[in-house]
């Protein structure tokens, strides 16, 4: 027994209507077809936190270690070099302060725990 054919063009149009024409690429259509719940959760995450496609997978899931250096490609040819220096204890508001170097400049970033 086989599955009924899927209208990829129709799915792409539906996704573009929901998330915006420029927000959906062909791989997004395939992701939505194979894993609709995961894809929807991913799009909601992107909506709340911004694009994460330049972040390496391990860092996305576990976060960086103290002293770890990594790169994030913001756009083609524009790379951000990041080194994590320290992470604060949890603040009452559920955030932590992350002390890091970004392209050699000291920065403090608040992140949700």
């Amino acid at each position: 027994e086989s599955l009924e054919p899927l209208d990829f063009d129709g799915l792409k149009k539906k996704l573009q209507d929901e998330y915006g024409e420029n927000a959906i690429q062909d791989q997004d259509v395939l992701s939505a077809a194979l894993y609709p719940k995961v894809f929807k959760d991913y799009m909601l995450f992107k909506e709340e936190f911004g694009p994460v496609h330049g972040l390496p997978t391990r860092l996305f899931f576990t976060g960086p270690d103290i002293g770890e250096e990594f790169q994030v490609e913001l756009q083609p040819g524009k790379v951000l070099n990041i080194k994590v220096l320290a992470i604060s204890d949890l603040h009452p508001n559920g955030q932590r302060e992350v002390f890091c170097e970004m392209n050699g400049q000291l920065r403090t970033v608040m992140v949700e725990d």
Side-chain angles (χ1 to χ4, degrees), residues 14-104:
K14 178 184 172 198
L15 294 171
Q16 287 175 333
D17 289 346
E18 187 171 348
Y19 300 108
E21 190 171 325
N22 295 328
I24 299 299
Q25 299 176 10
D26 288 341
Q27 66 261 26
D28 296 320
V29 177
L30 186 57
S31 294
L34 293 172
Y35 308 102
K37 169 89 170 81
V38 173
F39 178 76
K40 183 174 178 136
D41 290 347
Y42 170 72
M43 293 304 285
L44 291 171
F45 183 89
K46 265 181 43 173
E47 193 175 293
E48 183 175 351
F49 297 103
V52 293
H53 61 270
L55 191 61
T57 302
R58 185 193 64 78
L59 294 176
F60 175 81
F61 284 113
T62 65
D65 296 324
I66 304 296
E68 183 174 2
E69 297 181 47
F70 59 96
Q71 295 181 329
V72 175
E73 186 174 21
L74 302 175
Q75 59 190 37
K78 189 172 187 176
V79 176
L80 184 61
N81 295 299
I82 302 171
K83 180 178 181 180
V84 177
L85 302 174
I87 300 173
S88 75
D89 290 333
L90 186 63
H91 292 265
N93 66 358
Q95 294 185 328
R96 293 182 188 269
E97 237 174 323
V98 178
F99 303 90
C100 55
E101 286 182 11
M102 293 185 187
N103 289 343

